[in-house]
């Protein structure tokens, strides 16, 4: 399950993996903790940066995981009941990454992390793709070297490959390569940035489309071939702006749309002058583990 080489137009930066002795997972049922893990979050790439100062990696479409030294959690604080052998050789320090099987397998992974009784055969296909050491005081480039040491101690740990790009053209060529292979997009990490909890300027995500979340507040009736089904979801953004999402649904989803009050993830291409997402398309119903 090693990463594919993506293109000759990028310069690969070799990195190595790091890990320490860890303990097995708790046998307690899946549950939410009182606190979310203290993680840092990326902003969207909008240009105007010195790309020479950044390392670039594929944005993996898995489930983000946080290992606190004894237990694995989702970003929202839900305990993940992976088999004990999966984390047997994990370190005693926090590590962060994506629980991942392969490109395009998000739903498979997301189903696994919700299980109360883990499917051991399926979990053997999962890798914890590491991208950071939350408690390290070192800059990102050094944290990568530490991660390589950590990951070498477990067959279920792997460090996400980082590379440099020469210019904006190379960056977008790399994005095209990743998307063509079924990937989600790219992540850009500033080489000298320290780990900071919250949404930060030194981690950027670049995708063909942006995605965001909104709360379902109503429906519009379908017309034509969608008569008798949902035509569009009426949703509200965190800033209270309301708009409709009318594309991206299967017929089954139109017959049984996300319930009012639920949170959905949608994709869009920028905003109108009124701050409404352009070309919004339904992606998925957010589950409580995300």
């Amino acid at each position: 399950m090693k990463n594919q080489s993506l293109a000759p137009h990028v310069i690969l930066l070799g990195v190595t993996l790091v890990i320490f002795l860890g303990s097995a997972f708790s046998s307690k049922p899946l549950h939410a903790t009182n606190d979310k893990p203290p993680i840092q979050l990326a902003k969207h790439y909008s240009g105007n940066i010195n790309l020479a100062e950044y390392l670039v990696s594929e944005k993996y479409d898995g489930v983000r995981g946080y290992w606190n030294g004894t237990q694995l959690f989702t970003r929202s604080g839900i305990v993940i009941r992976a088999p004990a052998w999966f984390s047997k050789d994990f370190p005693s320090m926090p590590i962060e990454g994506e629980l991942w099987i392969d490109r395009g397998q998000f739903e498979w992974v997301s189903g696994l992390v919700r299980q109360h009784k883990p499917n051991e055969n399926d979990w053997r296909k999962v890798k914890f793709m590491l991208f950071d050491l939350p408690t390290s005081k070192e800059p990102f480039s050094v944290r990568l070297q530490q991660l390589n040491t950590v990951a070498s101690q477990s067959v279920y740990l792997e460090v996400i490959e980082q590379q440099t790009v020469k210019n904006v053209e190379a960056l977008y060529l790399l994005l095209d390569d990743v998307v063509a292979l079924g990937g989600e997009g790219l992540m850009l990490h500033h080489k000298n940035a320290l780990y900071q909890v919250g949404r930060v300027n030194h981690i950027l995500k670049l995708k063909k489309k942006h995605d965001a979340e909104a709360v379902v507040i109503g429906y519009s009736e379908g017309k034509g071939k969608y008569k008798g089904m949902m035509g569009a979801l009426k949703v509200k953004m965190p800033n209270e702006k309301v708009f409709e999402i009318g594309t991206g649904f299967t017929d089954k989803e139109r017959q049984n749309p996300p319930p009012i009050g639920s949170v959905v993830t949608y994709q869009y291409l920028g905003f109108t002058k009124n701050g409404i997402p352009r070309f919004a398309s339904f992606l998925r119903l957010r589950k409580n583990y995300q």
Side-chain angles (χ1 to χ4, degrees), residues 15-217:
V15 289
T16 347
L17 310 168
V18 181
I19 259 189
F20 309 99
L21 184 63
S23 57
F25 277 97
S26 167
S27 60
K28 295 179 182 179
L30 183 74
H31 66 281
T33 60
N34 292 329
D35 300 310
K36 296 179 181 180
I39 60 176
Q40 61 181 1
L41 301 168
K43 292 186 176 180
H44 289 291
Y45 170 81
S46 58
N48 300 319
I49 63 171
N50 182 355
L51 286 171
E53 298 175 354
Y54 285 78
L55 295 173
V56 183
S57 66
E58 179 175 343
K59 185 181 189 302
Y60 282 71
D61 57 343
V63 172
R64 186 168 182 171
Y66 185 95
W67 170 259
N68 70 355
T70 58
Q71 181 62 278
L72 189 63
F73 299 87
T74 67
R75 59 180 289 177
S76 58
I78 305 296
V79 175
I80 299 172
R81 283 194 66 199
W85 49 259
F86 182 79
S87 61
K88 178 174 65 72
D89 297 318
F90 283 16
S92 57
M93 64 169 63
I95 51 176
E96 196 176 0
E98 291 278 326
L99 292 163
W100 189 77
I101 292 178
D102 202 351
R103 298 183 180 101
Q105 299 300 323
F106 171 81
E107 295 298 333
W108 189 359
V109 179
S110 67
L112 285 179
V113 303
R114 296 199 304 273
Q115 292 174 346
H116 287 262
K117 183 178 180 181
N119 182 319
E120 302 217 0
N121 287 334
D122 283 351
W123 270 98
R124 294 187 189 281
K125 301 177 177 69
V126 177
K127 288 275 190 176
F128 194 20
M129 305 296 294
L130 304 181
F131 54 70
D132 224 326
L133 278 171
T135 57
S136 173
K137 304 301 182 183
E138 301 295 336
F140 181 67
S141 58
V142 177
R143 297 202 301 274
L144 275 179
Q145 297 173 26
Q146 295 173 330
L147 273 179
N148 280 301
T149 303
V150 170
S152 65
Q153 298 184 24
S154 172
V155 296
Y156 298 106
L157 295 174
E158 186 172 328
V159 176
I160 294 177
E161 181 183 279
Q162 303 287 333
Q163 32 190 309
T164 60
V165 294
K166 294 180 179 179
N167 50 42
V168 173
E169 181 183 10
L171 178 68
Y172 278 93
L173 285 172
L174 179 59
L175 176 63
D176 289 341
D177 287 344
V178 168
V179 172
L181 290 169
E184 184 177 353
L186 300 176
M187 298 296 297
L188 292 81
H189 288 75
H190 196 287
K191 298 175 184 177
N192 297 325
L194 302 178
Y195 194 98
Q196 294 177 275
V197 175
R199 199 164 296 280
V200 296
N201 294 318
H202 54 258
I203 304 178
L204 306 169
K205 52 187 174 182
L206 174 61
K207 296 193 268 187
K208 290 286 190 180
K209 292 183 176 181
H210 299 311
D211 60 32
E213 294 178 339
V215 177
V216 177
I217 61 172

